[in-house]
């Protein structure tokens, strides 16, 4: 193979190599942008998870309190229809 043929082949292969490098650069920039947004979302998710856990614990405490208060008091008055009243006294 002569030098002229080698340079011609290298020149022919250089154009697709440059286009491939540009394509890879553009693709990697898109991936970097998407990954950055996912990282930001995951940081916010952790805070949301903590807030939801706190809310569930507060709601559980309220339910426990409500059940305790309900059971320690007299039952509500009977509904219409001839139900009998049972008094705790």
């Amino acid at each position: 193979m002569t030098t002229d043929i080698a340079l011609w082949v290298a020149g022919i292969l250089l154009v697709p190599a440059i286009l491939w490098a540009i394509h890879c650069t553009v693709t990697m920039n898109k991936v970097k942008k998407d990954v950055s947004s996912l990282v930001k979302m995951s940081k916010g998710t952790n805070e949301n998870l903590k807030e939801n856990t706190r809310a569930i614990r507060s709601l559980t405490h309220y339910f426990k309190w409500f059940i305790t208060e309900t059971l320690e008091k007299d039952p509500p008055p009977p509904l219409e229809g001839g139900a009998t009243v049972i008094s705790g006294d």
Side-chain angles (χ1 to χ4, degrees):
M1 182 180 337
T2 64
T3 306
D4 290 339
I5 294 175
L7 288 176
W8 183 81
V9 170
I12 293 294
L13 294 177
L14 188 63
V15 173
I18 291 173
L19 292 175
W20 180 251
I22 291 171
H23 170 72
C24 288
T25 303
V26 169
T27 303
M28 291 306 293
N29 283 336
K30 289 179 182 179
V31 168
K32 181 182 176 184
K33 182 181 175 184
D34 291 343
V35 167
S36 296
S37 67
L38 287 174
V39 167
K40 288 178 186 176
M41 286 173 41
S42 70
K43 288 179 182 177
T45 301
N46 191 24
E47 293 300 319
N48 288 340
L49 187 59
K50 287 179 184 177
E51 181 63 23
N52 286 345
T53 302
R54 186 200 60 77
I56 291 295
R57 286 184 179 157
S58 297
L59 187 60
T60 303
H61 173 75
Y62 174 74
F63 281 147
K64 286 179 182 178
W65 172 84
F66 180 76
I67 290 169
T68 302
E69 287 294 314
T70 302
L71 293 177
E72 291 179 358
K73 292 185 177 182
D74 293 333
L79 298 174
E80 294 178 359
T84 58
V85 176
I86 300 174
S87 158
D89 295 57

